[in-house]
Amino acid sequence: MTQALPSIVTKVDSLPQMEAMSTPPAEKTPQGLNLEVHVSAETVSGGLKRGTVKPNIPTFGAFELFSDEGTMIGGTDSAPAPLSYLAAGVAFCFLTHLKGYAESQNLAIDSIKVEQKMKFQSRIPGVTAEMGNQMEGHSNGLETHVLITSNEAPAALQKMIDVAHKACMAAQTVVTPVPATTTLYINGQESS
């Protein structure tokens, strides 16, 4: 029996119309599949945020989800915090690649579980730091523990972990510097 998604996550028909960026389909190249995950996010009330997310792959659906913050920084703790989604996304992506590799190599694995922590530092004057400090955030690391129940050779399982870590785009995004751009639009016009 399929369990209904909680109200903080709902499957929807599509992304809303993007105003500032194009949403091209994924492209197969000799090097691999070039794909994008498109997100439209906005504040809706107080600290609550609503977003719609969809990979640009035809067989992947669109989902509307809500995010909030804990009460310490002005939220109501009504939905996962943005960093919670980021951390869960890395763990889920890693599990996808572990499972895929295990199946492709016909490894006899009874269970795989990932326990992971992402470490951060937040500096918000008057909230998480003394007043007068500059607002900043830092990532201080990613710690992953893979718990496997299997009679396979440890070397085969370690190879699975190594391959999955390299294949996990979410993990690679947080452990490898990636280019990033931010463009400001004011009243529908790109600011120079």
Side-chain angles (χ1 to χ4, degrees), residues 4 8 16 21 36 44 50 64-66 82 90-91 110 126 143 145 152 156:
I8 58 171
M21 64 178 207
E36 301 172 352
V44 289
R50 176 181 56 220
E64 179 181 76
L65 34 106
F66 288 88
V90 172
D110 296 323
E143 182 180 318
H145 301 266
E152 294 287 347

Side-chain angles (χ1 to χ4, degrees), residues 16-32:
Q17 181 66 40
M18 296 294 203
E19 296 176 45
M21 64 178 207
S22 64
T23 55
E27 177 187 12
K28 288 185 180 179
T29 70
Q31 293 76 32

Side-chain angles (χ1 to χ4, degrees), residues 52-95:
T52 307
V53 59
K54 183 185 183 316
N56 66 343
I57 302 171
T59 61
F60 283 64
F63 290 86
E64 179 181 76
L65 34 106
F66 288 88
S67 181
D68 199 357
E69 299 288 355
T71 57
M72 176 184 173
I73 60 171
T76 62
D77 201 30
S78 63
L83 290 177
S84 298
Y85 280 112
L86 175 63
V90 172
F92 290 151
C93 183
F94 191 45
L95 273 170

Side-chain angles (χ1 to χ4, degrees), residues 114-177:
V114 169
E115 293 181 357
Q116 192 168 71
K117 70 170 89 167
M118 296 184 79
K119 303 172 187 179
F120 301 96
Q121 183 177 55
S122 171
R123 190 176 338 171
I124 303 171
V127 180
T128 62
E130 296 296 321
M131 290 300 289
N133 286 326
Q134 183 176 350
M135 186 181 291
E136 290 182 354
H138 303 277
S139 175
N140 290 333
L142 174 65
E143 182 180 318
T144 305
H145 301 266
V146 181
L147 295 82
I148 298 175
T149 304
S150 176
N151 290 325
E152 294 287 347
L157 298 175
Q158 184 61 55
K159 183 175 181 184
M160 175 185 67
I161 289 171
D162 295 343
V163 169
H165 187 263
K166 287 181 183 176
C168 177
M169 294 169 281
Q172 290 303 312
T173 298
V174 299
V175 301
T176 307

